[in-house]
Amino acid sequence: MTVLVISGTGTGVGKTVVTAAIAALARDRGDGVAVLKPAQTGVAPDQPGDLADVRRLAGDVETRELRRYPDALSPEAAARRSGLQPVTPAQAARAAGELHERHDLVLVEGAGGLLVRFDPVGGTLADVAWSVGAAVLIVAEAGLGTLNATALTAEVATRRGLDVAGVIIGSWPSVPDLAARSNVADLPVAAGAPLLGVLPEGLGSATREEFLEEARRGLSPWFGGEFDPDCFAGSVSAQT
């Protein structure tokens, strides 16, 4: 892995926790890792944003935030409303390249979904991924409605010439319903890519030590973890 773009199927699906989990495993095995957030929205200048959560959970990793806007809107709308300059895909790609010169792994965490607009021209996270030749990791919800959102994200990525590395369920419920249990088998089909992990809900409140262990259990060996999708699917299907 070199540069990996992490996109959700929407907001609140667990992108930041997944980003931190990948970073934590990379750091634990001795890799240099950096996390780039091109646009942070819905956070005041003096408040901690997503990257603060990444550092708290993953430990000593370099982070960079290019723009911050106080309104919880898309980056383009938030920039327009605040009167601040928008971030462009070119700026994000340049920052990712600079970080990659000094690190083994660079994680680029998006804001919302793959086609959320950064600027008035219509630049998106998909453009960033294309510019740096990065694979896209889709973070999806567990329950009802996730298959359509995941399939749409994967189709857009593929049509734009991007490689979808896989899909991760960002917040697995402690008591999964029928839809969630069924989606374990169906999500990889919707994404056209393997299930590379399942992280439990509430993981963002864990201690750093607990977080590392859960990241190891919940992420694929592709990231340095121990997650086996077949074993997980088997355990889930036994509950049906």
Side-chain angles (χ1 to χ4, degrees), residues 26-202:
R27 179 177 177 272
D28 186 62
R29 66 176 177 263
D31 289 348
V33 57
V35 179
L36 172 66
K37 183 82 174 181
Q40 172 74 72
T41 64
V43 179
D46 59 345
Q47 292 178 322
D50 291 340
L51 294 182
D53 289 331
V54 169
R55 292 189 297 271
R56 175 176 56 83
L57 294 168
D60 185 19
V61 299
E62 182 174 350
T63 59
R64 184 182 299 183
E65 180 185 285
L66 299 186
R67 295 284 191 279
R68 175 176 290 213
Y69 309 106
D71 295 304
L73 302 169
S74 71
E76 181 205 6
R80 183 174 66 243
R81 179 176 170 81
S82 66
L84 299 172
Q85 286 295 313
V87 64
T88 68
Q91 291 168 333
R94 187 180 310 115
E98 292 170 355
L99 289 170
H100 188 234
E101 290 176 359
R102 307 191 307 275
H103 299 85
D104 302 301
L105 173 65
V106 177
L107 304 173
V108 183
E109 183 188 341
L114 192 62
L115 295 188
V116 170
R117 290 165 65 101
F118 282 168
D119 58 23
V121 180
T124 67
L125 188 65
D127 297 313
V128 179
W130 185 87
S131 295
V132 298
V136 174
L137 180 66
I138 300 174
V139 181
E141 293 182 289
L144 194 64
T146 192
L147 297 180
N148 183 64
T150 300
L152 288 172
T153 301
E155 182 171 335
V156 164
T158 301
R159 284 177 177 268
R160 292 186 175 221
L162 304 177
D163 174 34
V164 178
V167 59
I168 291 178
I169 297 175
S171 181
W172 182 255
S174 56
V175 184
D177 61 13
L178 177 61
R181 298 195 302 271
S182 177
N183 287 340
V184 170
D186 292 336
L187 270 170
V189 178
L195 181 65
L196 293 180
V198 176
L199 297 178
E201 66 181 356

